[in-house]
Amino acid sequence: MSTAIDTLIDFTTDIELKNIAQKVKDGIRITDEECLVLFNKADLPFAGALANFVREKLHGNKTYFNRNFHIEPTNVCVFSCKFCSYSRLYAHKEEGWELSIDQMLDIVKSYDGKPITEVHIVGGVHPKMNMAYFIELIQKIHAHRPDLHVKGFTAVELDYMFRKAKLSVEEGMKALKDAGLQSLPGGGAEIFHEDIRKEIAADKVTGEGWLHIHETAHNLGMHSNATMLYGHIEKYEHRIDHMRKLRDLQDKTKGFNTFIPLKFRNSNNDMSHVPESTITEDMRMYAIARIYLDNFPHLKAYWPMLGRQNAQLSLSFGVNDIDGTIDDSTKIYSMAGSEEQTPTMSTEELVTLIKQVKRTPIERDTLYNEINHF
Ligand code: V47
Ligand code: SF4
């Protein structure tokens, strides 16, 4: 019986695209050159059909979400990424916020009795918040609620913490793991390629440094995510370079759970003159990532940044995870101009959103163990 992908192959006249579709059907990894062909030539229906084939081969209709909240310890930051709408430079720290350990524990306690499975800790890089401070925070969260998975700290925060504590990456990561840190979020990756990184995020951890931190975490048995900030001044070649470095590391460690493309939002930052990508380009980005990153189990659309309707749309373009309930606990995207100014969704809303597009909602924990089918 002829399937949708056979029909796609039959009706594609461009020989390069036809060969790529055949490879995807046969489960053969595509090369960087072929990925560039996709970016340059594949229209949305073509890229989407291939990505959907991969997505359904891996997950069928299953679409994951989790029940989580964020803690953002501070928006004061020693770094000065040009795309960041959120941070207040350390020099102007009185304009920002800083939470004490007790205030953060109060946030955790406000979820007592609620079926939340994950706390995601991420924020600016405040020099006062050092290793000892975060070890105490993690230990106290863990002691109060041992069942809560602590996913925390971008490689940017970790790199700064470890250097300040004069610890190697391995020593630092081991100390945080011993305190109760269970996995790393994917932030801080931006674009690894030096030509772009030096323009948009000149003073923080390098691409190599980011990858080394994640590799070290993986070698200690921890899992992590990876992001890519796209749709600004980078070219397709830089996106491919970024994804290749992730694919190579994943071949070595198998420690990444999820790839999360993050659409650049242009409000209230030093790159406000750079136009945002179109929704067609966003969906092509998801689709091509799903096709290229054949060793990443999951592809996430982060709805607080993309908006809930676009996140719903992405479920037809390779995405199988839409993050979590969030509970209005993050400011990063509302400050950057997202439509979602107070991001929160109840479990019922997430379930409805997924069911409306005929996918099957599944609540997961951070490591993608299935908790509830709806
Ligand atoms: O690294 C900052 C991004 C990231 C803007 O691992 C911006 O599950 C767009 O990584 N436009 C931090 N993006 C958030 C993050 C994340 C979020 C959700 C889930 C996970 C996960 C990780 O936010 C930063 C940066 O790439 N960001 N400013 C902006 N103007
Ligand atoms: Fe600081 Fe992160 Fe903003 Fe860069 S993106 S300025 S590291 S908070």
Side-chain angles (χ1 to χ4, degrees), residues 306-333:
L306 199 62
R308 56 193 81 189
Q309 286 186 340
N310 292 336
Q312 190 181 46
L313 186 63
S314 73
L315 300 181
S316 300
F317 294 93
V319 168
N320 70 300
D321 181 0
I322 53 172
D323 202 83
T325 44
I326 311 283
D327 207 20
D328 193 17
S329 52
T330 174
K331 297 271 172 285
I332 301 180
Y333 295 100

Side-chain angles (χ1 to χ4, degrees), residues 77 79-81 83-84 86-87 123-125 156 190 204:
C77 191
F79 297 120
S80 46
C81 305
F83 55 82
C84 184
Y86 162 84
S87 74
V125 178
V156 177
E190 322 313 356
K204 69 184 186 188

Side-chain angles (χ1 to χ4, degrees), residues 78-79 125 130-131 155-169 171-173 202-206 209 213:
V78 296
F79 297 120
V125 178
N130 56 23
M131 217 36 213
V156 177
E157 295 163 279
L158 295 171
D159 172 66
Y160 185 86
M161 254 187 248
F162 299 161
R163 280 191 292 116
K164 224 175 146 211
K166 298 200 177 2
L167 294 175
S168 69
V169 171
E171 289 164 341
M173 197 61 76
D203 49 0
K204 69 184 186 188
V205 68
T206 60
I213 287 176

Side-chain angles (χ1 to χ4, degrees), residues 169-171 173 211-221:
V169 171
E170 193 169 3
E171 289 164 341
M173 197 61 76
L211 290 159
H212 177 56
I213 287 176
H214 281 253
E215 181 168 6
T216 307
H218 297 171
N219 289 339
L220 290 171

Side-chain angles (χ1 to χ4, degrees), residues 105 108-112 138-148:
L105 270 178
V108 174
K109 287 176 187 163
S110 71
Y111 291 94
D112 283 358
I138 299 165
Q139 281 171 337
K140 286 189 167 161
I141 294 177
H142 203 58
H144 179 74
R145 192 158 170 182
D147 61 316
L148 196 62

Side-chain angles (χ1 to χ4, degrees), residues 83 151 185-188 190 225 229 260 263 265 300 302 333 336:
F83 55 82
K151 176 174 95 179
E190 322 313 356
N225 292 336
L229 182 72
I260 313 162
K263 172 194 176 88
R265 307 299 309 239
K300 186 194 281 191
Y302 187 53
Y333 295 100

